Amino acid sequence: MTIRKDLQLIADLVPANARVLDVGCGDGELLDYLVNERGIDGRGIELSQKGVNECVSRGLFVVQGDADNDLEEYPDQSFDLVILSRTLQAVHRPREVLLDLLRIGRQAIVTIPNFAQWKVRADLLFRGRMPVTKSMPQTWYNTDNIHFCTILDLFDLAESEGLKVRSFVPHMRNGRRLDMGPKLANLMAEQALFLLEK
Amino acid sequence: MRPAAGKTATLFKDTPLALDGGAMLSPVTVGYETYGTLNGARSNAILICHALTGDQYVASDHPITGKPGWWERIVGPGKLIDTDRYFVICSNVLGSCLGTTGPWEENPATGKPWGTDFPVITIRDMVRVQAALLDHLNVESLMAVIGGSMGGMQVLEWIATYPDRLHAAVMLATAARHTAQNIAFHEVGRQAIMADPNWQDGRYYDTGARPEKGLAVARMTAHITYLSEDALTAKFGRNLQGREAVSFGFDADFQVESYLRHQGSTFVDRFDANSYLYVTRALDYLDIAGRHGGRLSDAFKGASHVRCCVISFTSDWLYPTIENKRIVHALNAAGVPVSFAEIEAAHGHDSFLLDVPEMDHMLKGFIAAAARTRGLTGGTGA
């Protein structure tokens, strides 16, 4: 079973026997892989009915809901790991959501599209228009993304909230890893993965 | 009394049924229907729990009304709950009036109908009777127990009381407790019955006159709670019934009035007024968390192996999404695997009985996965 390359980057960081909550699990591609290939005890949260139905027919357990409203209903430390994949930029209260992830789970994997990548910067600089890229394909007026951030921004937020970055994997949309530090990655990477801990 | 058309079993002959209210019942007769065949491993049984005024005729014609089974759209050969694959059981609940012991049946101590001497029962008492019926049918464990509304409450009591007998559980449009508003509506219905002069403290069985007016009003009130304002507006608006102008009187000028009157008058043909009192009372007493110091999750501690699915509907104001989510949180907190969705549907509480494709998708996926994990292979006769 092969999964999308950027999801594989996440899966590679999930320890065996972990209890995992995938927030915004979509059609359950990652969750299916973790549960059925890796034997992980995984659960999901997904907003769309289509996604929930897809997950349920894969035999997965998914509760309809979203990160903004439904995380608070999960008890403290009820999971080993909570995953929030390419969703932080679409929530209303990203800081509170991030803290909730680390209340529910011992660790959190958060992936973000990087708003500071050079293509995005160039779009804004030369075209003077809000960027539309393959990572962020929607126009400004219909985008789900309301709180864009950059790689360095997320490092800053983690630091100010006293969170430790256990792993940092800058990568391209196709899942190709970029072997570079945060500053250069902030310019080059389309996306980044953070493994966070309190 | 009216004999049930179909199967009946007499249970609790030697050991009486100990009710939550403290009374003992022996024996207990149960009216039930089965569809399909129990497989050799006895692993393909599905119990379907009916709602308040439902019955065991889930997938076969009703013996009184002649109408098709109440979930015939879902249950049957080749259907979503495929009776070529699964052995489906549905029984008339304790206290009801289609072949199961209730106020209309004979009290063995007097040889007369119980009337209001019948002990007050709970949802858990209904489930105890279902469990005994499974013993009688030689079904030790269920692939799934499924129910909507009051049926969903029975499913909850199954999870709380007999988790070891379950592989999967589906709850539709339900709640783990009755709210003040729920109780209030039921009380209106009960008072309507009791205010009918024919009710006679519940001793109407031998008078030949039944409290039909009271029961019809109870049904009319309840029926409003099963729908939604949008559904009523879409169906009737302020349209007049068989006339050009309002009559300035109390005839059924509006279509919605004659619809409700029709609902009420057809209901009295198939339901007993005293049964209505007892079954609504059982719902009012439901408070599963209350039995566990207010923590609903404690009720589900033994069920971490039961695959659960909860579905609510956007327009259901009788058991709204928040009550269904309470169940989901409690299951989650108890480590019970659960899927949940609030499905967009315009028809109110009754949506679970209607054609809602998104509900079907979710049910289908859930049941297929439950069968897979139960070791049931695909195709018919598995």
Side-chain angles (χ1 to χ4, degrees):
Chain A
M1 179 176 186
T2 54
I3 55 171
R4 232 170 59 206
K5 292 286 185 341
D6 60 318
L7 297 178
Q8 188 65 53
L9 292 178
I10 298 173
D12 290 346
L13 288 173
V14 176
N17 308 320
R19 262 177 67 75
V20 173
L21 178 66
D22 186 357
V23 183
C25 60
D27 64 5
E29 187 177 0
L30 173 64
L31 207 53
D32 195 6
Y33 173 81
L34 291 174
V35 170
N36 293 319
E37 291 281 307
R38 298 267 312 276
I40 299 270
D41 181 4
R43 308 286 168 83
I45 298 180
E46 167 58 27
L47 190 56
S48 77
Q49 183 65 55
K50 195 165 171 288
V52 172
N53 282 344
E54 189 75 26
C55 289
V56 168
S57 59
R58 289 175 185 236
L60 302 169
F61 292 102
V62 174
V63 169
Q64 194 174 38
D66 65 51
D68 273 314
N69 299 306
D70 295 281
L71 290 179
E72 60 191 37
E73 290 155 359
Y74 286 79
D76 294 359
Q77 301 292 299
S78 42
F79 290 88
D80 298 311
L81 181 70
V82 184
I83 296 167
L84 188 73
S85 162
R86 297 201 295 197
T87 301
L88 192 65
Q89 78 283 355
V91 305
H92 286 277
R93 300 171 299 136
R95 180 180 158 274
E96 285 75 8
V97 166
L98 196 62
L99 294 176
D100 247 351
L101 298 181
L102 284 160
R103 178 188 61 77
I104 298 167
R106 206 166 40 78
Q107 293 187 312
I109 291 177
V110 175
T111 73
I112 55 162
N114 176 27
F115 202 67
Q117 200 229 0
W118 66 269
K119 277 188 200 159
V120 182
R121 294 193 199 191
D123 238 24
L124 199 54
L125 183 63
F126 294 115
R127 290 181 53 244
R129 302 287 191 283
M130 287 306 287
V132 177
T133 68
K134 281 179 178 163
S135 270
M136 295 177 263
Q138 296 150 314
T139 42
W140 65 273
Y141 51 83
N142 64 2
T143 181
D144 297 322
N145 302 327
I146 52 178
H147 282 116
F148 279 118
C149 72
T150 73
I151 287 174
L152 293 177
D153 283 328
L154 198 58
F155 270 104
D156 288 349
L157 179 61
E159 193 184 349
S160 72
E161 297 301 331
L163 308 176
K164 301 178 192 82
V165 179
R166 287 291 176 214
S167 288
F168 164 63
V169 185
H171 58 277
M172 302 306 277
R173 197 166 43 87
N174 63 13
R176 184 167 60 85
R177 301 168 74 120
L178 302 179
D179 189 16
M180 53 186 68
K183 280 196 178 142
L184 192 53
N186 201 43
L187 187 62
M188 302 303 293
E190 279 180 307
Q191 301 178 15
L193 177 157
F194 294 79
L195 176 63
L196 302 166
E197 227 176 75
K198 248 189 185 157
Chain B
M1 301 312 96
R2 185 163 53 202
K7 304 182 175 75
T8 53
T10 306
L11 311 168
F12 300 100
K13 279 177 285 198
D14 304 325
T15 318
L17 167 64
L19 299 170
D20 276 340
M24 297 288 204
L25 269 184
S26 175
V28 176
T29 307
V30 185
Y32 69 99
E33 291 295 315
T34 65
Y35 309 85
T37 318
L38 188 62
N39 66 8
R42 292 185 285 141
S43 61
N44 67 335
I46 294 179
L47 176 69
I48 297 182
C49 302
H50 69 72
L52 178 65
T53 64
D55 46 57
Q56 64 270 45
Y57 306 103
V58 58
S60 43
D61 291 354
H62 195 283
I64 298 165
T65 65
K67 286 185 179 166
W70 57 269
W71 226 16
E72 201 159 85
R73 196 181 69 75
I74 298 278
V75 182
K79 294 186 181 171
L80 199 156
I81 297 175
D82 185 354
T83 50
D84 289 336
R85 266 193 97 183
Y86 308 117
F87 178 57
V88 172
I89 306 158
C90 186
S91 66
N92 191 226
V93 297
L94 182 66
S96 194
C97 50
L98 274 175
T100 299
T101 296
W104 197 346
E105 301 286 327
E106 184 183 293
N107 178 352
T110 63
K112 289 184 167 177
W114 281 93
T116 47
D117 289 337
F118 192 70
V120 168
I121 51 157
T122 65
I123 301 285
R124 189 160 56 164
D125 292 331
M126 296 174 182
V127 165
R128 290 182 174 116
V129 174
Q130 290 167 343
L133 176 65
L134 294 192
D135 294 339
H136 174 79
L137 296 172
N138 202 17
V139 173
E140 194 173 322
S141 83
L142 292 166
M143 185 192 103
V145 57
I146 300 173
S149 194
M150 183 181 87
M153 296 169 188
Q154 294 160 52
V155 174
L156 285 166
E157 290 289 18
W158 266 99
I159 299 170
T161 312
Y162 302 107
D164 296 342
R165 300 187 74 165
L166 301 180
H167 175 70
V170 179
M171 292 140 272
L172 306 149
T174 193
R177 57 164 195 185
H178 239 214
T179 63
Q181 178 173 273
N182 295 145
I183 297 168
F185 275 113
H186 274 176
E187 179 60 4
V188 172
R190 284 189 295 262
Q191 287 302 323
I193 290 169
M194 293 175 177
D196 188 318
N198 287 345
W199 182 62
Q200 301 182 83
D201 292 326
R203 316 225 144 268
Y204 53 83
Y205 294 109
D206 40 10
T207 64
R210 302 191 302 144
E212 291 183 346
K213 291 220 162 83
L215 181 59
V217 171
R219 174 63 173 181
M220 288 166 76
T221 320
H223 200 78
I224 298 167
T225 70
Y226 303 153
L227 305 172
S228 67
E229 180 166 5
D230 282 350
L232 282 175
T233 303
K235 200 166 178 179
F236 308 110
R238 293 181 51 85
N239 297 342
L240 301 181
Q241 177 73 37
R243 64 195 68 197
E244 296 298 315
V246 295
S247 68
F248 295 101
F250 295 103
D251 285 349
D253 279 359
F254 296 101
Q255 282 179 9
V256 65
E257 292 172 320
S258 66
Y259 169 75
L260 284 179
R261 289 181 186 192
H262 173 75
Q263 286 293 330
S265 67
T266 54
F267 182 61
V268 300
D269 295 335
R270 67 173 180 88
F271 216 85
D272 172 49
N274 280 339
S275 279
Y276 195 84
L277 302 180
Y278 278 87
V279 182
T280 56
R281 204 65 187 141
L283 290 182
D284 292 347
Y285 282 138
L286 184 76
D287 178 14
I288 301 178
R291 290 206 306 266
H292 293 87
R295 284 177 61 94
L296 186 57
S297 61
D298 285 355
F300 306 138
K301 281 276 161 65
S304 58
H305 63 283
V306 182
R307 308 171 64 92
C308 290
C309 178
V310 178
I311 293 175
S312 70
F313 298 93
T314 46
S315 55
D316 184 351
W317 57 279
L318 188 62
Y319 303 123
T321 291
I322 186 164
E323 293 296 329
N324 290 271
K325 278 194 109 174
R326 241 180 256 287
I327 297 165
V328 174
H329 299 153
L331 289 167
N332 255 328
V336 181
V338 56
S339 283
F340 163 77
E342 179 191 42
I343 286 171
E344 191 89 34
H347 291 91
H349 177 64
D350 266 358
S351 295
F352 77 97
L353 294 169
L354 305 172
D355 185 359
V356 180
E358 292 294 348
M359 170 180 79
D360 291 5
H361 289 158
M362 189 150 165
L363 275 179
K364 197 171 185 173
F366 182 81
I367 289 166
R372 241 177 8 249
T373 50
R374 180 77 161 171
L376 294 169
T377 46
T380 54

